[in-house]
Amino acid sequence: MTRPPDTESASDKLDPAVLRVAGVVVLGAIMSILDVTVVNVALRTFQIEFHTTPAIAAWTMTGYTLALATVIPVTGWAADRFGTKRLYMLAMAFFVFGSVLCSTAWNIESLIAFRVIQGLGGGMLMPLGMTILTHAAGPQRIGRVMAIMGVPMLLGPIGGPILGGWLIESFSWHWIFLINVPIGAIALVLAFIVLPKDKPEPSESFDVVGMLLASPGLALFLFGVSSIPGEGTVMAAKVLIPAILGVVLMAAFVVHALRIEHPLIDVHLFRNSALRYAVLTMVLFAAAFFGAQLLLQLYLQQVRGESTLHSGLLNAAQGLGAMITMPIAGRLVDKIGPGKIVLTGVTVIAIGLSTFTRIGSDTSFLLIEGSLFVMGLGMGATMMPTMTAAIQTLSHAQVARGSTLMNIVNQTGFSIGAAAISVVLTNFLTHEGAGGSPTGGPPANVPPQVLEQIRESAATAFAHTYVVSFVLVLLTLIPAFFLPRSTPKAPADGETAAAVVA
């Protein structure tokens, strides 16, 4: 088999050309991911500004998520059809345009509509970025480029609350959207200059039936799951009806996709055993880790009374830990494969997370910071090496579809984890007599002794909920055990991934 030209000169270090491409791609991905957590900080502000309820304000988040779910399945085909550079610039322009519209919103309904427009562009940025970087670096350096793509995933949950809190407190809510304009303009110019020119190639016909099944199916399923925290139960009609419809549509898509050669989402990739186990690992990891992230912010604000800005700063220790291990893990994955790295990372996360299963209302911040740092060390050796395990054995032609598939998996795992953790926390808060809302906080104007008792009860509910995240992390070890323990050889475009892995 002939090796791709770019792997002949592959060295232990990423060359300047790849690093320039990485800088452009990461800039766009950071904007997209930061926007999710930044807006989460502003939900209370939207309620006050637009005189609306928490449930309606939350649609500024839900609408964006559903737009992501609608457009991500189409990304793989569109990248093959129009070229990654053109599509990336179009997605960036759409995202910036949506940001400008959001800043002009005059009521909550217009803001929700503009957030959907913004999400249609933002949804393509991450999978396109992964595809562009993988093509630029070649199969022998995928671990290192995936480590670079981990930067926006790392900065989003950590930097979002800090940036959002500062912009709202210092300026106004409009600036959480307007800040995307100058950054997006710079990213567009750099993308035009730096990204390699697209090479037009004959493309597969568009899977119209697949789009009509997969995009609404995924959106309906995520809408149902996202409605669980607000309804408080999975048995509510608002949860069950869209979720079941979504599952039916996605099941119909799988049947359809297995019968045609070029489906919208390439389910034939699941013949690749490495990708199968990477998908299972990613779903469990995303549900566990991002569910724990949600718990931390709620605990710091509700139980400890920290501001949004301060709680975001406290989370920085986790980012520091991940920054240390992520580049090391990227290099090791390229040399020894992802299996041992991911197992180590998940184990380290479990060690750090175990502290929170015993958390109280007066737990030392030093202990919390130390545990977050340990979790960050594990996270840096888990998330992107798992992505690498999925992409590493794909041919050049399969990368766009594989990146799309892994981003769908990541988004689904995140949504399921956030919804499940919110419901579990609500039930524990009710059981402990600390109120049923995970975001409501303790009631105002109560005696200090009663307030302290409420906070202690709430802390107990958080500790019990952390046990659920801890168990999910342990379950992640099962599929992670089957990830490749050596660096696989990427197939040529004429081969199937399964032929290489089997």
Side-chain angles (χ1 to χ4, degrees):
M1 182 179 72
T2 303
R3 297 170 66 190
D6 55 1
T7 61
E8 295 289 351
S9 60
S11 65
D12 283 342
K13 294 183 179 180
L14 297 174
D15 54 78
V18 174
L19 290 176
R20 286 193 293 271
V21 171
V24 174
V25 166
V26 167
L27 187 61
I30 285 177
M31 287 176 58
S32 174
I33 295 177
L34 267 179
D35 208 67
V36 176
T37 48
V38 164
V39 171
N40 192 32
V41 170
L43 290 180
R44 178 63 180 164
T45 303
F46 294 155
Q47 294 173 40
I48 297 171
E49 184 75 19
F50 297 123
H51 308 290
T52 189
T53 64
I56 294 177
W59 265 95
T60 57
M61 292 289 295
T62 305
Y64 187 86
T65 300
L66 296 184
L68 296 185
T70 301
V71 77
I72 286 176
V74 185
T75 304
W77 172 85
D80 292 339
R81 173 64 180 84
F82 301 107
T84 52
K85 178 176 181 176
R86 289 177 227 174
L87 191 61
Y88 185 83
M89 293 182 66
L90 178 62
M92 177 64 70
F94 218 73
F95 179 82
V96 172
F97 175 64
S99 298
V100 173
L101 290 178
C102 287
S103 71
T104 66
W106 56 91
N107 57 30
I108 193 64
E109 291 80 10
S110 61
L111 180 58
I112 292 169
F114 295 152
R115 282 283 285 165
V116 170
I117 294 173
Q118 190 186 35
L120 293 175
M124 288 191 174
L125 291 176
M126 194 67 185
L128 280 173
M130 289 175 62
T131 302
I132 292 169
L133 259 183
T134 302
H135 285 169
Q140 303 305 316
R141 298 182 289 182
I142 288 180
R144 275 156 285 185
V145 298
M146 285 295 108
I148 292 174
M149 283 306 296
V151 172
M153 292 185 176
L154 173 66
L155 291 180
I158 297 169
I162 299 173
L163 178 63
W166 176 70
L167 287 173
I168 293 171
E169 290 177 11
S170 302
F171 302 98
S172 71
W173 66 266
H174 304 82
W175 281 96
I176 66 176
F177 301 111
L178 287 174
I179 196 172
N180 291 330
V181 177
I183 299 175
I186 293 171
L188 273 172
V189 172
L190 291 176
F192 179 78
I193 297 172
V194 173
L195 296 186
K197 186 178 179 180
D198 290 322
K199 298 177 181 178
E201 296 177 358
S203 65
E204 305 148 3
S205 59
F206 183 60
D207 180 13
V208 177
V209 175
M211 184 198 70
L212 295 176
L213 293 172
S215 290
L218 183 60
L220 282 168
F221 175 74
L222 292 183
F223 171 72
V225 170
S226 301
S227 301
I228 293 175
E231 298 299 309
T233 174
V234 296
M235 302 307 294
K238 188 177 179 181
V239 174
L240 282 179
I241 294 174
I244 291 174
L245 282 174
V247 169
V248 170
L249 286 174
M250 288 191 291
F253 169 77
V254 172
V255 173
H256 161 77
L258 290 173
R259 293 176 176 176
I260 65 174
E261 186 176 358
H262 301 296
L264 183 68
I265 303 172
D266 194 355
V267 296
H268 300 105
L269 293 177
F270 281 103
R271 296 170 182 164
N272 180 330
S273 62
L275 185 137
R276 285 199 305 271
Y277 289 119
V279 164
L280 290 172
T281 302
M282 182 57 70
V283 168
L284 289 171
F285 168 76
F289 189 83
F290 291 112
Q293 287 289 101
L294 173 66
L295 282 177
L296 177 66
Q297 293 301 312
L298 292 176
Y299 166 81
L300 290 173
Q301 295 172 38
Q302 179 174 334
V303 179
R304 305 304 289 266
E306 301 294 336
S307 67
T308 302
L309 181 59
H310 196 200
S311 63
L313 289 169
L314 287 170
N315 203 28
Q318 187 167 270
L320 179 61
M323 286 173 63
I324 293 173
T325 56
M326 197 172 284
I328 298 172
R331 287 194 296 271
L332 289 175
V333 165
D334 286 336
K335 293 179 179 179
I336 65 174
K340 296 175 183 177
I341 308 301
V342 175
L343 278 175
T344 302
V346 174
T347 302
V348 172
I349 290 175
I351 293 171
L353 189 59
S354 63
T355 298
F356 294 93
T357 63
R358 303 183 301 276
I359 203 164
S361 62
D362 57 354
T363 299
S364 166
F365 278 121
L366 185 61
L367 178 61
I368 292 174
E369 291 292 278
S371 299
L372 288 174
F373 178 75
V374 172
M375 287 179 64
L377 291 174
M379 189 268 195
T382 301
M383 187 167 188
M384 299 321 291
T386 302
M387 288 278 194
T388 302
I391 304 298
Q392 208 170 39
T393 56
L394 302 182
S395 70
H396 183 90
Q398 293 170 325
V399 167
R401 304 298 178 101
S403 299
T404 296
L405 178 61
M406 290 306 293
N407 275 272
I408 291 172
V409 168
N410 191 38
Q411 183 65 48
T412 302
F414 169 79
S415 298
I416 291 173
I421 289 299
S422 294
V423 171
V424 172
L425 177 60
T426 298
N427 290 333
F428 277 128
L429 286 171
T430 302
H431 182 266
E432 295 293 333
S437 172
T439 57
N445 302 320
V446 296
Q449 299 89 341
V450 177
L451 182 60
E452 182 57 36
Q453 185 177 357
I454 291 174
R455 284 179 173 165
E456 186 59 44
S457 297
T460 301
F462 275 92
H464 290 164
T465 309
Y466 266 115
V467 172
V468 176
S469 287
F470 181 73
V471 171
L472 285 174
V473 169
L474 294 181
L475 289 174
T476 306
L477 289 168
I478 298 174
F481 179 81
F482 296 98
L483 293 176
R485 305 292 181 89
S486 61
T487 305
K489 183 169 58 175
D493 286 344
E495 293 182 282
T496 64
V500 174
V501 179

